[in-house]
Amino acid sequence: MSELTLKANIDRPDDFYADLLAAHEGLPKAQSDALNARLILVLANQVGDREVLKDALAAAKQAMHRDPARS
Amino acid sequence: MTKIFETPLYPYERSADQDAAEPVRHPVVVIGAGPIGLAAAIDLARHDVPVVILDENDKVSWGSRAICFAKRPLEILDRLGCGQEMVDKGVQWNLGKVFFGDRKVYDFNLLPEEGHHRPAFINLQQYYFEEYLVNRARALEAEGKPIDLRGGSKVTAVEAKDDGVLLTVETPDGPYRIAADWVIACDGAGSPVRSMMGLDFVGRVFEDNFLIADVVMEAGFPTERWFWFDPPFNKGQSALLHKQPDNVWRIDLQLGWDIDKEKEKKPENVIPRLKAMLGEDAKFELEWVSIYTFQCRRMEKFRHGRVIFAGDAAHQVSPFGARGANSGLQDTDNLIWKLKLVMEGKAPETLLDSYDAERVHAADENILNSSRSTDFITPKSDQSRIFRDAVLDLAEHFEFARPIVNSGRLSVPATYDGSPLNGPDVAGMPDRTRPGAPAVDAPIGNGWLLSRLGDRFQLMTIDADAPDRIDVEGIEVERLELSTNDDPSGALAERYLGDAQAGIYLMRPDQHVAARWTKFNEAELRSAVNTATGALSNRVETPD
């Protein structure tokens, strides 16, 4: 593990996206938020590498939409 | 029954200093007879440095307060001559359980590493800890060592000068003044000395209250540390149960910020909370109840000329991780040998600035760790609570999340990486005994390595030759000759040699590693001793 991949890397992205939505299907917001938090931690453990995790946090922050109407 | 913390142990007695025409001058005055002040004074007296301790009180601390003492401070107490009493009386524990809501999410075993004299932790009420230190001070006094513990003596004014300090001391017989070459202020988090000198103490306030109750009960709970996040008996908050000697149990209950402290402390409010936790039928007696809030902060500098701050007076942390008293003892361990060398003229006064550098580094490490524990235990935002709960939920099912659970990262000693006192290191030797690290214990023959180290500079040789004694400009370095054969368990070789066949360690009087080599070289040793004592570089001899 060395660098964060920001190129397309997910096998069959439409299927993954559908799985993600299905996992949240019917959950109240609090449980959805909790599920997301657990998912982040599980994935972070899979990555393991602290540098890659830092880069991932930075990439996620960089893509934050600045439109005040959405904040 | 009169409890130890209700008994005056060092009642006020009139001192001859009160009848002197001019303020009597003392080499060192320690202000505060808590754990840190007593340890400082004992260390000085053992080295025949005359010391006066001033304390406004005459008793040990009220209530259990600090209860968790870690291995390194126990090793320091061994050097001071009172570690065994603490360990004999203390409760040893290795097992911890973590609960979330009404479920146990996991348990852990500290699994102490083999080959150490002292356990990872003991639980012991601070009043016993102080009592044993007072006993040690009294024993030294009986041996003729120059230690003078003055109770009922409150310092009300501090006049710091370039070459000493003038103190005004209030007593039941009225005030008097004494002078000191050096003052060590160990007068606690609220340090009046710090305030009188107008010094800063900045940091982060945590808006939370914790109820501590010491409960005497014959309970079936095992000797374990139990920590609850969001338990049914204290919804949305945390709780801790920990055993102390004499069937005293320490219970911490988080209460939140907007509470009426006086009301919450009343037994009629405390007892229902405890029954909710321990069960309606639990039979117990309340020994002590207190409510605390805490801050994480430190002074910018611990040394202010001739006044040196140690313990909570210099730095304050949250209680999670037992980093208060434990780090204070490491402060004086670091300070006293330096002060003694400076007082004897064997080291420049600037050596004391390394106390600042090394112990500020340690304080920052403790503040960082205890702040992080606090942020986990008491989440400050919705999102941090979501992540905290996610970690706990995962920890119940998956091993990977357990190291993220933070109910206090228990005190470990600081390694003084980057200290100006550190000398050469050797690649391939073990990381844990690098320059700046505290010596790691190991079995040697029928005893222990640490009992043979400390109080002077030593050259520890493992399967290596070196002279028995070397004088480096008045600083005597004594050889401690060891062989890997002294320890059939292999711990000595594993902890001190690593890939090397032989090792030469320069050890400081506080049992920290100053420098290490694989073979003896006199010029390098002299240079390292000079570095470790803050001597000017022009005093370093060049190799011939």
Side-chain angles (χ1 to χ4, degrees):
Chain A
M1 202 70 171
S2 51
E3 265 182 55
L4 178 71
T5 299
L6 292 170
K7 298 208 170 77
N9 190 43
I10 298 173
D11 177 30
R12 283 172 294 149
D14 289 351
D15 290 350
F16 162 71
Y17 195 75
D19 289 347
L20 189 60
L21 294 192
H24 285 274
E25 186 69 38
L27 293 184
K29 173 133 177 31
Q31 287 187 30
S32 256
D33 288 348
L35 175 66
N36 277 339
R38 291 198 299 275
L39 182 61
I40 288 168
L41 292 165
V42 168
L43 295 176
N45 184 63
Q46 177 66 32
V47 171
D49 188 306
R50 287 264 294 107
E51 289 308 310
V52 177
L53 289 170
K54 275 188 194 171
D55 289 347
L57 281 168
K61 278 212 137 178
Q62 191 193 327
M64 187 153 54
H65 193 73
R66 298 280 174 203
D67 180 355
R70 278 181 54 181
S71 67
Chain B
M1 191 184 84
T2 311
K3 296 188 189 307
I4 181 66
F5 52 89
E6 292 168 341
T7 313
L9 283 188
Y10 41 95
Y12 168 74
E13 283 173 43
R14 195 174 173 83
S15 153
D17 288 2
Q18 287 164 264
D19 302 314
E22 289 295 313
V24 175
R25 194 171 177 105
H26 296 273
V28 183
V29 171
V30 171
I31 302 175
I36 314 310
L38 286 167
I42 288 167
D43 212 354
L44 287 163
R46 285 174 62 248
H47 289 105
D48 297 298
V49 178
V51 56
V52 174
I53 315 162
L54 301 173
D55 195 281
E56 61 175 309
N57 212 318
D58 58 6
K59 300 179 189 72
V60 293
S61 82
W62 184 266
S64 62
R65 293 158 62 103
I67 59 157
C68 203
F69 294 93
K71 181 164 158 296
R72 180 62 197 153
L74 294 174
E75 292 165 352
I76 294 169
L77 292 165
D78 279 335
R79 191 175 61 71
L80 300 183
C82 51
Q84 193 58 46
E85 295 90 316
M86 311 279 181
V87 175
D88 287 346
K89 181 74 185 175
V91 169
Q92 291 185 29
W93 61 277
N94 289 316
L95 210 63
K97 287 187 177 144
V98 175
F99 301 85
F100 180 35
D102 55 5
R103 297 127 51 210
K104 186 182 90 176
V105 292
Y106 74 100
D107 44 40
F108 62 88
N109 192 328
L110 291 177
L111 278 182
E113 187 184 52
E114 292 291 312
H116 293 261
H117 186 201
R118 291 311 180 194
F121 280 93
I122 60 164
N123 284 359
L124 182 70
Q125 294 91 326
Q126 184 172 332
Y127 48 80
Y128 281 129
F129 192 86
E130 290 183 22
E131 184 195 2
Y132 299 154
L133 287 171
V134 170
N135 291 347
R136 179 70 184 130
R138 294 296 189 210
L140 286 167
E141 198 179 4
E143 286 168 27
K145 296 290 186 186
I147 185 164
D148 179 356
L149 174 54
R150 300 183 189 175
S153 303
K154 182 183 182 177
V155 174
T156 55
V158 177
E159 203 182 313
K161 301 175 174 187
D162 288 346
D163 63 345
V165 187
L166 196 59
L167 300 169
T168 306
V169 185
E170 186 65 48
T171 75
D173 287 336
Y176 68 105
R177 296 203 297 169
I178 56 171
D181 293 341
W182 298 92
V183 164
I184 307 177
C186 309
D187 51 348
S191 176
V193 173
R194 197 181 59 224
S195 309
M196 285 185 271
M197 292 177 71
L199 298 169
D200 61 88
F201 199 43
V202 292
R204 184 173 161 202
V205 182
F206 290 87
E207 294 196 344
D208 219 324
N209 290 285
F210 286 79
L211 175 81
I212 327 176
D214 276 353
V215 164
V216 186
M217 61 177 172
E218 305 282 343
F221 296 107
T223 306
E224 299 170 356
R225 178 187 194 264
W226 288 14
F227 197 97
W228 286 264
F229 295 96
D230 195 11
F233 55 83
N234 197 25
K235 282 304 284 178
Q237 311 284 6
S238 67
L240 173 71
L241 178 70
H242 225 176
K243 192 179 185 188
Q244 307 173 53
D246 308 336
N247 289 317
V248 176
W249 296 80
R250 167 69 162 272
I251 294 165
D252 284 35
L253 292 170
Q254 186 193 354
L255 297 182
W257 186 233
D258 290 314
I259 59 154
D260 179 341
K261 287 193 198 183
E262 286 316 307
K263 194 177 133 218
E264 291 292 349
K265 262 197 279 194
K266 290 190 174 146
E268 65 261 35
N269 292 314
V270 173
I271 286 167
R273 284 186 179 281
L274 297 178
K275 285 198 163 165
M277 177 177 180
L278 302 168
E280 270 308 312
D281 304 328
K283 291 200 175 16
F284 58 83
E285 184 195 324
L286 272 183
E287 178 171 271
W288 176 66
V289 174
S290 175
I291 289 184
Y292 67 91
T293 56
F294 53 80
Q295 311 198 356
C296 285
R297 53 185 179 170
R298 69 163 169 87
M299 298 178 75
E300 192 193 343
K301 292 190 306 164
F302 298 170
R303 180 190 171 207
H304 290 265
R306 294 289 182 116
V307 181
I308 301 164
F309 292 83
D312 281 1
H315 45 75
Q316 200 186 354
V317 293
S318 84
F320 307 114
R323 289 167 181 269
N326 283 314
S327 69
L329 288 164
Q330 291 164 70
D331 287 346
T332 62
D333 187 46
N334 185 289
L335 173 64
I336 300 304
W337 67 270
K338 295 174 181 175
L339 185 58
K340 181 171 172 274
L341 285 180
V342 169
M343 292 173 76
E344 288 171 344
K346 290 180 180 172
E349 213 174 292
T350 50
L351 176 60
L352 294 171
D353 293 330
S354 73
Y355 165 71
D356 226 62
E358 293 181 337
R359 294 313 297 168
V360 163
H361 167 76
D364 284 346
E365 203 171 278
N366 287 321
I367 288 171
L368 178 72
N369 277 293
S370 86
S371 298
R372 285 175 169 180
S373 300
T374 310
D375 285 338
F376 192 89
I377 292 165
T378 65
K380 302 300 181 296
S381 68
D382 289 345
Q383 200 52 243
S384 64
R385 181 174 292 272
I386 288 168
F387 275 117
R388 199 280 306 271
D389 291 353
V391 168
L392 290 168
D393 281 333
L394 288 165
E396 187 179 0
H397 298 277
F398 308 116
E399 188 274 335
F400 90 83
R402 291 173 195 163
I404 313 175
V405 175
N406 191 343
S407 66
R409 298 281 179 235
L410 296 169
S411 172
V412 287
T415 292
Y416 304 134
D417 286 320
S419 166
L421 307 190
N422 290 351
D425 192 8
V426 178
M429 290 179 99
D431 198 44
R432 66 195 290 189
T433 44
R434 64 191 184 273
V440 179
D441 207 358
I444 298 292
N446 298 322
W448 299 96
L449 174 60
L450 289 186
S451 67
R452 300 177 64 178
L453 291 172
D455 291 322
R456 61 226 190 269
F457 275 95
Q458 285 165 290
L459 196 63
M460 181 175 94
T461 63
I462 304 170
D463 296 335
D465 277 330
D468 287 338
R469 209 167 279 281
I470 299 159
D471 185 284
V472 184
E473 287 138 76
I475 292 170
E476 190 123 300
V477 182
E478 203 182 287
R479 182 184 180 193
L480 172 63
E481 185 183 350
L482 299 177
S483 154
T484 48
N485 297 329
D486 295 333
D487 172 23
S489 80
L492 182 70
E494 186 204 317
R495 293 168 193 176
Y496 288 92
L497 294 183
D499 300 340
Q501 295 301 307
I504 303 245
Y505 279 76
L506 175 62
M507 307 298 300
R508 304 177 358 176
D510 57 5
Q511 301 176 329
H512 277 250
V513 175
R516 61 181 176 180
W517 304 268
T518 49
K519 64 183 200 326
F520 178 73
N521 175 307
E522 183 167 339
E524 287 199 26
L525 172 73
R526 287 180 176 277
S527 165
V529 171
N530 281 324
T531 300
T533 54
L536 298 172
S537 53
N538 61 15
R539 284 179 60 194
V540 177
E541 289 176 15
T542 48
D544 39 34

